[in-house]
Amino acid sequence: MTVRIVFDAVNAIVKGANDDVKLKIQKMLSYEVDGGRYGGGGSGWDGQSSMFSWANGVFPAGFARAVAADLGRSGIKCALVRKN
């Protein structure tokens, strides 16, 4: 499988990715929100947020090369496509 990351100056979108690849990208682009773990209320939220939108496969373009490199190190073929 070859995953394509199409990006412009603002956004990148991943195409041809299965759920396993999307999960890797989501983990790469996730971060812990200050005070998020202490929100209480039993919401089930773990205090993490992600810059990756699972529904449409979009993330900030500034991470496109890093995501492609990390996927490559994981053995996933990845093509970067610059959109003008």
Side-chain angles (χ1 to χ4, degrees):
M1 161 190 11
T2 299
V3 173
R4 287 182 26 214
I5 297 176
V6 181
F7 67 101
D8 60 15
V10 178
N11 293 310
I13 185 167
V14 61
K15 303 214 178 216
N18 61 24
D19 285 350
D20 290 335
V21 173
K22 285 184 174 182
L23 186 60
K24 285 182 187 295
I25 296 170
Q26 184 177 36
K27 286 181 180 178
M28 282 183 245
L29 299 177
S30 291
Y31 58 96
E32 193 167 314
V33 177
D34 284 344
R37 290 188 181 247
Y38 308 107
S43 67
W45 183 49
D46 64 358
Q48 295 254 325
S49 191
S50 181
M51 291 177 276
F52 177 68
S53 172
W54 187 284
N56 54 19
V58 173
F59 59 93
F63 294 103
R65 293 186 194 285
V67 167
D70 203 32
L71 291 176
R73 284 190 293 272
S74 297
I76 298 165
K77 292 182 184 177
C78 188
L80 279 172
V81 179
R82 171 80 178 169
K83 183 178 169 184
N84 294 327

